[in-house]
């Protein structure tokens, strides 16, 4: 929509051809107050103006109408005013138009350069040029120049508000103070002579830590004159100067705060190093210069450190110092005849000469001579070297006694000497076998083990510088390693001659050993002493006498004494003793049966045997049955015993205890009886239990028992009882009436056993025989006692097989 502003004029309209006056184009600066006048002159009549906009926005103006013109007032030009406005003038019937393009610009300020006034030398710095509030920005061109050299150019863009140029560069010190220009042009027509240029020039200020610092001026001055030192340096911002004198003793004295330093009336103390320190906020740098004061040596001194009086072997430093600069120093020694020996020469204000281990001959006068090209000066020192008060202690001192085979040491201690030298030797000029260990003030001579050949006199000599002191000690040896051995020879039977021998081995020195024989506390005799020998000796002594009963259990001793000074009592006497005891063959042998000698089968019994003999020999316990010996136990010693936990018949017999030693034997015996009731009774009818009438039979009864049993036979249904001492019965001339059951009853103290058997007698035609009991007689089966046979048979079984032998009960023999 067009904005039309109608303005009516009261003036009459002239119908003529007239012209509207309006500039075709105007350029306004933003912020200005501007007017745009549309006029039509020579309109006779009524004249009206209408303003309209070609663009779709309001005009933002005030209008002031005058009779012949209309003025648009732009109170404060802004970008809103950019427009194309049409002025329509109506004069009477005639209407005329004119249009004008309104352009707006803004370029209010000069470019602003920044970053130019604090550039850091050698580093990457950023220089900026800013142009702001520019409109229309697309017409803007900015260039950055250093002198005539264009550093950078940049053009604005549509829609922008300004431009910023950043320029990175590393300034050198030559850049400092140069100008840098930022030139901005707004290349727009119709503004102040075809475009507008604004420029700003700034100075480059390059900052740097102090550099190229050096000091110029005199370096060598004469005493009493003056000198000036100038410190030259580059750097920005402003440099500060400090002068410091570095004294030789390490002291630092501040001398001034200006670029130049002036020193008047130079004395020796003004010599030294002068340091100029240049600083700003970026850093600091120093430069030194040595100022030499040209003067002859002064204040020359010589000192001994730690002192001028010292002992031989100590070390000393001779210190020499002078104040002349430059100076050369000589340490000299004055000899007795006045000649000088040069010990050391050095350049510099001080020097030290060290004597590591002084000798007596180092005593004397020492000179320090300082000299330079302006003169010389001397100082002297008297050095006194004294002897050491060396003292030596030898332990043990005088005489020492050592046991062969032990370890022994001699210790030599030195005092009054810082570094003693030890030496050991033997008085006899023999080689020393000992091992020397020396450390500091102590030297030891070790013998481990000490041998006879080490006996002698040892000298410890200590040397300290020119002093030597020696001490000696005599080492005596003894050997008495073991107690004497006491032995007796031969059997010690009463009445015989006994010889006791005492021997002590490996003794030394043999002539100092004394052997004493003792009977209890009583000294008996002492043999002659042995002669001296340089070797180990075995000493022996014998004591013989006839042995009597009174000597039994008497203590005989052999006491060996070493009669040598210095031997500890515990080592000097050794004794061996023996108790003499009379020997005899075994006697008083006794055998004991416990609880008793009469035993029942199955009981337990202990049989012990004890004998007395010197020396104790051997005992044997055995059983004898029918001249057959069975050894039950035999052992060394005076007694023995056996335990039979459960006796049997076969354990019966004669028990014999016999004791032996080298002089003979002795025995004792006891009869042991084991009883048992009859058992395992057997009956045998011979030749058979089936017999013809008129025949004879023999009945043999065997039984195991002790004591021997009584055997009775009887016919069970009738008849008398027949006794037999031996268990054998003979039935003669049997009849059928004898047929029947018979019983034997075997009886002893402890019990009885019975056995029943049958005898069957067959009838014969030939009759009439007397009753059997007339003919039954006890018979002798073997012609010997069968009871005994029974026992023997039993024992025989014990020792041999395991069955009865009844062949002896042979009817042929009956
Ligand atoms: C013109 O306008 C601008 C922005 O609107 C304002 O900052 C400025 O003060 C004005 N100037 C005057 C003279 O009124
Ligand atoms: C120079 O210094 C010396 C010693 O420091 C002094 O005795 C003398 O008076 C001084 N001379 C002058 C001119 O200051
Ligand atoms: C001393 O006796 C022992 C044996 O008893 C023997 O080995 C040793 O050599 C003897 N010593 C001397 C010095 O006769
Ligand atoms: C006695 O007889 C029994 C069996 O009746 C037997 O075991 C035992 O060995 C016999 N004893 C002897 C000593 O013959
Ligand atoms: C039986 O014994 C008697 C007496 O010893 C003797 O006279 C007789 O001849 C014997 N009879 C026989 C058959 O052997
Ligand atoms: C066997 O003899 C003994 C002693 O004479 C007697 O006590 C016992 O009763 C007899 N035994 C028999 C069965 O007759
Ligand atoms: C020979 C003998 O004595 N015979 C006698 C056997 O026993 C009967 C009866 O007991 C007697 O009548 C016989 O005389």
């Amino acid at each position: 929509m067009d904005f039309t502003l109608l303005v009516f004029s009261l003036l009459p309209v002239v119908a003529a051809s007239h012209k509207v006056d309006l500039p075709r184009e105007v350029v306004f600066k933003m912020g200005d107050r501007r007017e745009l006048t549309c006029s039509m002159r020579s309109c006779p009549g009524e004249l009206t103006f209408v303003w309209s906009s070609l663009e779709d926005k309001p005009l933002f103006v005030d209008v002031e109408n005058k009779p012949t013109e209309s003025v648009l007032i732009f109170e404060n030009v802004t970008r809103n005013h950019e427009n194309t406005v049409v002025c329509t003038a109506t004069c009477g019937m005639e209407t005329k138009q004119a249009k004008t393009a309104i352009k707006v610009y803004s370029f209010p300020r000069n470019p602003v350069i920044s970053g130019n006034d604090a550039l850091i030398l050698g580093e990457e710095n950023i220089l900026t040029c800013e142009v702001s509030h520019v409109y229309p920005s697309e017409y803007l061109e900015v260039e950055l120049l250093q002198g005539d050299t264009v550093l950078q150019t940049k053009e604005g863009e549509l829609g922008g508000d300004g431009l910023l140029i950043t320029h990175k560069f590393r300034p050198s010190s030559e850049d400092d103070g140069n100008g840098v220009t930022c030139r901005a042009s707004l290349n727009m027509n119709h503004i102040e002579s075809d475009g507008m240029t604004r420029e700003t020039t700034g100075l480059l200020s390059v900052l740097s830590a102090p550099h190229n610092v050096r000091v110029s001026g005199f370096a060598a001055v004469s005493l009493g004159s003056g000198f000036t030192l100038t410190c030259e340096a580059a750097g920005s911002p402003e440099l500060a100067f400090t002068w410091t004198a570095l004294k030789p003793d390490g002291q630092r004295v501040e001398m001034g705060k200006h670029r130049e330093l002036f020193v008047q009336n130079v004395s020796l103390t003004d010599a030294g190093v002068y340091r100029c320190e240049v600083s700003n906020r970026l850093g600091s740098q120093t430069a030194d210069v040595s100022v030499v004061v040209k003067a002859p040596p002064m204040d020359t001194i010589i000192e001994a450190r730690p002192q001028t009086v010292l002992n031989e072997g100590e070390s000393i430093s001779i210190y020499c110092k002078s104040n002349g600069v430059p100076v050369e120093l000589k340490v000299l020694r004055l000899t007795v005849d006045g000649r000088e020996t040069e010990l050391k020469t050095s350049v510099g204000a001080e020097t030290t000469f060290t004597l590591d281990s002084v000798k007596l001959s180092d005593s004397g006068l020492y000179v320090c001579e300082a000299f330079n090209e302006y003169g010389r000066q001397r100082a002297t020192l008297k050095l006194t070297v004294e002897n050491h008060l060396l003292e030596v202690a030898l332990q043990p001192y005088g005489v020492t006694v050592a046991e062969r085979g032990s370890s022994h040491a001699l210790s030599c201690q030195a005092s009054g000497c810082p570094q003693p030298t030890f030496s050991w030797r033997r008085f006899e000029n023999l080689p020393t076998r000992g091992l020397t260990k020396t450390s500091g003030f102590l030297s030891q001579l070790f013998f481990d083990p000490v041998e006879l050949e080490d006996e002698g006199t040892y000298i410890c000599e200590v040397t300290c510088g020119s002093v030597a002191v020696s001490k000696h000690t005599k080492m005596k040896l003894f050997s008495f390693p073991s107690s004497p051995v006491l032995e007796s020879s031969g059997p010690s039977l009463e009445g015989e001659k006994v010889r006791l021998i005492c021997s002590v081995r490996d003794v030394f020195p043999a002539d100092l050993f004394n052997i004493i024989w003792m009977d209890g506390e009583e000294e008996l005799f002492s043999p002659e002493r042995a002669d001296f020998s340089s070797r180990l000796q075995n000493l022996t002594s014998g004591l013989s006498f006839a042995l009597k009963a009174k000597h039994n259990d008497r203590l005989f001793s052999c006491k060996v004494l070493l009669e040598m000074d210095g031997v500890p009592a515990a080592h000097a006497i050794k004794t061996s003793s023996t108790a003499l005891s009379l020997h005899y063959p075994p006697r008083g042998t006794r055998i004991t049966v416990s609880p008793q000698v009469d035993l029942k089968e199955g009981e337990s019994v202990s049989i012990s045997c004890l004998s007395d003999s010197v020396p104790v020999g051997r005992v044997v316990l055995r059983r004898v049955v029918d001249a057959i010996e069975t050894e039950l136990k035999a052992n060394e010693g005076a007694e023995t015993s056996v335990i039979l936990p459960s006796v049997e018949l076969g354990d019966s017999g004669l028990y014999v205890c016999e004791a032996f030693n080298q002089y003979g034997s002795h025995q004792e015996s006891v009869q042991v009886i084991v009883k048992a009731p009859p058992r395992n009774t057997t009956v045998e009818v011979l030749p058979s239990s089936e017999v013809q009438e008129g025949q004879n039979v023999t009945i043999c009864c065997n039984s195991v028992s002790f004591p021997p049993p009584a055997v009775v036979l009887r016919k069970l249904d009738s008849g008398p009882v027949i006794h037999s001492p031996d268990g054998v019965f003979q039935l003669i001339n049997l009849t059928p009436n004898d047929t029947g059951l018979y019983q034997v009853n075997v009886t002893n103290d402890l019990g009885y056993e019975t056995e029943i058997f049958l005898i069957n007698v067959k009838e014969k035609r030939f009759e009439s025989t007397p009753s059997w009991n007339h003919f039954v007689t006890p018979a002798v089966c073997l012609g010997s006692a069968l009871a005994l046979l029974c026992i023997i048979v039993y024992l025989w079984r014990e020792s041999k097989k395991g069955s009865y032998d009844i062949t002896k009960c042979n009817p042929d023999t009956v």
Side-chain angles (χ1 to χ4, degrees), residues 510-513 528-532 537 539:
D511 56 329
L512 296 185
F513 280 84
E528 290 230 329
R529 297 214 181 178
D531 293 333
F532 173 77
Q537 292 287 300
L539 300 181

Side-chain angles (χ1 to χ4, degrees), residues 48-155:
T48 56
F49 292 95
V50 176
W51 291 92
S52 58
S53 159
L54 285 188
E55 288 177 25
D56 185 12
K57 60 180 181 182
L59 288 172
F60 305 108
V61 290
D62 294 334
V63 181
E64 191 177 306
N65 283 317
K66 296 177 180 167
T68 59
E69 57 185 16
S70 179
V71 180
L72 285 186
I73 300 168
F74 299 83
E75 225 18 87
N76 184 351
V77 175
T78 68
R79 276 157 72 169
N80 284 332
H81 294 123
E82 256 188 344
N83 215 328
T84 303
V85 297
V86 178
C87 174
T88 309
T90 309
C91 178
M93 296 302 286
E94 198 179 356
T95 300
K96 291 278 184 179
Q97 283 188 324
K99 60 181 178 182
T100 187
I102 301 170
K103 294 212 167 140
V104 171
Y105 80 92
S106 171
F107 191 11
R109 294 175 199 165
N110 282 342
V112 176
I113 297 174
S114 57
N116 60 315
D117 53 354
L119 297 164
I120 311 286
L121 183 69
E123 291 182 14
E124 188 174 84
N125 286 261
I126 297 176
L127 199 57
T128 61
C129 173
E130 189 176 16
V131 186
S132 58
H133 301 101
V134 175
Y135 183 84
S137 189
E138 62 267 31
Y139 293 111
L140 181 65
E141 187 182 290
V142 181
E143 53 186 10
L144 187 67
L145 303 103
Q146 185 173 357
D148 294 331
T149 315
V150 177
L151 299 176
Q152 212 174 339
T153 305
K154 204 167 173 186
E155 288 181 355

Side-chain angles (χ1 to χ4, degrees), residues 583-651:
H583 285 193
Y584 48 85
R587 62 190 185 193
T589 309
R590 271 185 299 129
I591 183 163
T592 11
V593 178
S594 171
Q596 71 263 330
V597 293
D598 274 342
L599 298 161
K600 286 183 189 154
E601 196 178 35
E603 285 181 337
S604 154
V605 69
S606 154
I607 302 166
S608 43
C609 176
L610 182 68
S611 184
D612 172 25
S613 68
V614 179
V616 170
R618 199 178 137 74
V619 282
V620 177
L621 183 65
R622 53 183 189 265
R623 184 177 61 217
V624 182
V625 175
D626 282 356
I628 298 167
E629 296 192 350
T630 311
E631 189 173 293
L632 301 175
K633 188 111 181 241
N635 56 263
E636 304 296 324
E639 57 188 316
T640 191
S641 68
V642 290
I643 291 174
L644 304 174
S646 172
V647 293
E648 294 174 0
L649 284 178
D651 292 326

Side-chain angles (χ1 to χ4, degrees), residues 474-485:
K474 183 168 185 178
M475 184 160 78
K476 284 189 177 177
L477 271 142
F478 75 94
S479 172
F480 192 7
S482 52
S483 296
V485 176

Side-chain angles (χ1 to χ4, degrees), residues 505-506 536-538:
R505 50 174 301 190
D506 296 332
L536 294 178
Q537 292 287 300
N538 288 345

Side-chain angles (χ1 to χ4, degrees), residues 271-518:
V273 174
Y274 285 77
R275 171 167 295 173
C276 169
E277 180 174 358
V278 189
S279 60
N280 64 11
R281 63 180 167 92
L282 296 182
S284 69
Q285 203 179 5
T286 62
D288 290 352
V289 70
S290 232
V291 173
V292 172
V293 177
K294 295 189 281 187
M298 296 160 82
D299 308 331
T300 305
I301 56 162
I302 182 167
E303 284 175 2
R305 295 179 175 178
Q307 71 262 332
T308 55
V309 179
L310 67 163
N311 281 323
E312 229 180 346
E314 290 177 346
S315 93
I316 188 175
S317 291
I318 295 173
Y319 171 74
C320 189
K321 180 179 166 235
S322 180
N323 263 338
V325 251
V327 75
E328 214 172 309
L329 294 174
K330 260 185 196 164
V331 181
L332 301 170
R333 166 127 198 253
L334 283 180
T335 52
V336 194
D337 54 11
R339 281 194 307 151
E340 293 179 351
T341 323
E342 189 174 310
L343 300 175
K344 188 176 183 183
T345 303
S346 77
V347 177
E350 54 186 13
T351 190
T352 303
F353 177 75
T354 303
L355 287 165
D356 274 334
S357 172
V358 294
K359 304 188 197 74
L360 289 180
S361 58
D362 288 327
S363 295
L365 212 54
Y366 289 79
V367 180
C368 174
E369 182 176 79
F371 59 97
N372 62 16
E373 55 185 297
Y374 314 107
R376 59 182 58 212
Q377 194 179 28
R378 294 187 139 212
T380 59
L381 165 80
K382 186 165 183 282
L383 196 68
T384 310
V385 179
E386 293 176 344
N387 272 336
H388 280 285
L389 295 172
L390 173 65
E391 284 186 31
V392 176
L394 180 58
Q395 280 291 339
Y397 184 59
V399 176
T400 178
V401 172
E403 181 171 7
R404 173 188 170 260
S406 66
S407 67
H408 201 72
L410 302 179
S411 300
C412 191
Q413 178 104 31
S415 56
C417 177
Q419 277 180 323
T421 312
F422 292 89
S423 82
W424 289 92
R425 64 195 160 81
R426 281 182 74 165
F427 191 66
E428 298 84 359
N429 270 333
L430 292 171
T432 297
R433 283 191 337 113
L435 184 70
T436 308
K437 278 187 197 161
T438 300
S439 134
F441 306 104
L442 178 70
S443 179
Q444 286 180 295
L445 186 61
F446 287 98
F447 298 93
D448 191 14
V450 58
E451 293 293 348
L452 292 189
E453 67 216 76
D454 295 324
E455 192 170 72
T457 301
Y458 289 86
I459 300 165
C460 171
E461 184 172 279
V462 185
T463 313
C464 186
S466 60
V467 185
V469 174
S470 65
K471 286 276 165 79
H472 63 265
T473 205
K474 183 168 185 178
M475 184 160 78
K476 284 189 177 177
L477 271 142
F478 75 94
S479 172
F480 192 7
S482 52
S483 296
V485 176
L486 193 54
E487 291 169 313
S488 81
S489 69
S492 314
L493 290 171
E494 192 177 338
E496 290 191 29
K497 195 177 174 193
V498 71
R499 183 169 166 77
L500 297 179
I501 294 170
C502 173
S503 49
V504 57
R505 50 174 301 190
D506 296 332
V507 299
F508 180 87
D511 56 329
L512 296 185
F513 280 84
N514 194 6
I515 300 179
I516 300 169
W517 283 101
M518 319 257 301

